[in-house]
Amino acid sequence: MGSLVGHVIPGLGFLLIGLWHLFNHIKLHLHQPNSYRAPPWFPTSKFKYVELIVIMGGSFVSIAMELFISPHKHQPLDDDGTIPSYHLHNFEHASISMTFLVYAAFAIILDKVGPKAQYGLTQLLGAIAFGQQLLLFHLHSADHMGPEGQYHMLLQIVILVSLATTLMGIGLPKSFLVSFVRSLSIFFQGLWLMVMGFMLWTPDLMPKGCFMNSEDGHFVVRCQGEEALHRAKSLVNLQFSWFLVGVSIFGVSFYLALVKFYGEKVDYFSLARQIEEDEDDPADDVESQKKSKLLDSKSFINHMEKTAFVPKDMER
């Protein structure tokens, strides 16, 4: 991953998968609001497993890039068969891709076999993939004390949301909000990875006082002094907050756009307007109360008259 392409390409994959899920979950909920049940993945009309095949293909390419294409020897091991320290991060990135490859492969197998626990097991495998991603980014072997470390720390927050909502989806398969947040978090993962790639490996976009330094066969962003480092990290935090707001606006706007396009027309009313109408016409309420009391009193009198003549009739 330690390059512009190594961040942008995987980020684009996450972004498209997240957008695909977001679109389909909203559409499914609009068409089936009462019987909505969130699937772990979405088939297509022409070929059922396109989404899972894309995940498998992207994961396979990522593993090949990390272990066989990017290394100078086109293999990640030393001459004695051990893993050199400067290739540890390649194995970590490949392990994340391997977990997503396993998820997609077993999702296809589970769909073909069709066991009763298919939904829960598929969601569990997805949660394991996000858990593996979170663990390896948190325990990353590369030195992430600088701006790159700040980007990765904030990325872990988004991954944690994806992990939590995937686990919640096992017990709450009918919750649209859980699926909505999960899809949006996957979309945000991809967007943030792309931002990392451009901001960390484009010299003109680096924070003032920071530079790219070659260390152990890959480039790392370093800053001149504590002040420049603190400023760079603060800028990363601001970027994350701005993108968080932007992704939130995008998610809700996307939902409203699909509601307008697919949803049925529903008559809405304003609670404030209803209260104002009630306050503007209090006489109607008083009149209706008087009529109700009058009817109650008449019914009571009629009842008493009937019961009063019952004993007399019996004596006769």
Side-chain angles (χ1 to χ4, degrees):
M1 265 192 186
S3 64
L4 188 149
V5 176
H7 282 80
V8 172
I9 298 300
L12 182 61
F14 276 99
L15 186 144
L16 293 177
I17 293 294
L19 188 61
W20 169 252
H21 275 234
L22 190 65
F23 170 77
N24 283 283
H25 279 300
I26 295 173
K27 183 179 177 181
L28 181 62
H29 184 259
L30 292 175
H31 287 168
Q32 303 174 6
N34 297 324
S35 60
Y36 170 80
R37 184 180 177 88
W41 52 275
F42 289 92
T44 56
S45 57
K46 293 184 178 180
F47 181 64
K48 186 176 184 180
Y49 303 112
V50 169
E51 175 187 334
L52 299 174
I53 294 297
V54 169
I55 294 175
M56 291 175 63
S59 300
F60 181 80
V61 171
S62 175
I63 294 170
M65 288 291 296
E66 292 289 347
L67 300 182
F68 303 106
I69 298 176
S70 295
H72 296 294
K73 298 180 181 180
H74 298 294
Q75 60 91 13
L77 302 177
D78 259 339
D79 295 334
D80 58 357
T82 59
I83 301 175
S85 58
Y86 54 86
H87 277 323
L88 287 173
H89 68 282
N90 296 96
F91 276 92
E92 291 165 351
H93 298 156
S95 298
I96 295 173
S97 300
M98 177 67 72
T99 315
F100 283 103
L101 177 62
V102 169
Y103 156 75
F106 273 95
I108 295 176
I109 295 172
L110 287 169
D111 183 70
K112 287 185 175 295
V113 176
K116 292 183 178 180
Q118 175 187 348
Y119 175 82
L121 288 175
T122 305
Q123 288 286 76
L124 179 62
L125 288 172
I128 291 173
F130 287 125
Q132 175 90 304
Q133 185 187 18
L134 178 63
L135 177 68
L136 291 177
F137 274 127
H138 182 70
L139 303 176
H140 210 290
S141 61
D143 183 11
H144 284 165
M145 298 301 293
E148 186 177 355
Q150 196 70 9
Y151 276 106
H152 278 86
M153 185 193 73
L154 296 172
L155 176 64
Q156 292 172 43
I157 298 175
V158 186
I159 298 173
L160 181 61
V161 174
S162 300
L163 170 61
T165 49
T166 303
L167 290 172
M168 291 172 64
I170 298 175
L172 300 170
K174 297 182 179 181
S175 174
F176 168 72
L177 191 59
V178 170
S179 302
F180 182 85
V181 174
R182 177 176 178 265
S183 303
L184 205 59
S185 68
I186 297 172
F187 174 86
F188 196 4
Q189 273 195 60
L191 181 62
W192 192 243
L193 281 170
M194 294 176 69
V195 171
M196 287 175 59
F198 285 111
M199 298 301 296
L200 291 174
W201 281 275
T202 304
D204 294 338
L205 297 178
M206 287 184 186
K208 185 170 60 177
C210 298
F211 58 94
M212 189 176 292
N213 189 40
S214 179
E215 299 178 7
D216 294 330
H218 62 281
F219 290 98
V220 179
V221 178
R222 297 298 182 191
C223 297
Q224 300 172 347
E226 289 295 326
E227 183 178 353
L229 177 60
H230 178 73
R231 179 179 179 276
K233 288 184 175 181
S234 298
L235 289 175
V236 175
N237 296 336
L238 286 173
Q239 284 179 7
F240 184 82
S241 65
W242 294 336
F243 274 100
L244 177 61
V245 173
V247 168
S248 301
I249 294 173
F250 168 77
V252 177
S253 301
F254 190 59
Y255 172 79
L256 294 175
L258 291 182
V259 166
K260 185 176 181 180
F261 187 78
Y262 288 107
E264 298 178 355
K265 293 183 178 180
V266 181
D267 293 333
Y268 297 97
F269 71 95
S270 172
L271 181 60
R273 184 183 301 172
Q274 184 69 26
I275 294 173
E276 289 178 359
E277 291 177 356
D278 293 341
E279 290 177 352
D280 291 340
D281 199 7
D284 292 343
D285 294 338
V286 174
E287 188 67 24
S288 62
Q289 290 177 5
K290 288 181 179 180
K291 290 181 180 179
S292 177
K293 290 181 179 179
L294 182 60
L295 291 174
D296 292 341
S297 62
K298 287 183 178 179
S299 62
F300 177 74
I301 293 171
N302 292 333
H303 176 73
M304 292 300 294
E305 289 177 352
K306 291 179 181 179
T307 54
F309 288 102
V310 169
K312 295 180 179 180
D313 294 339
M314 292 179 65
E315 289 178 1
R316 291 178 183 179

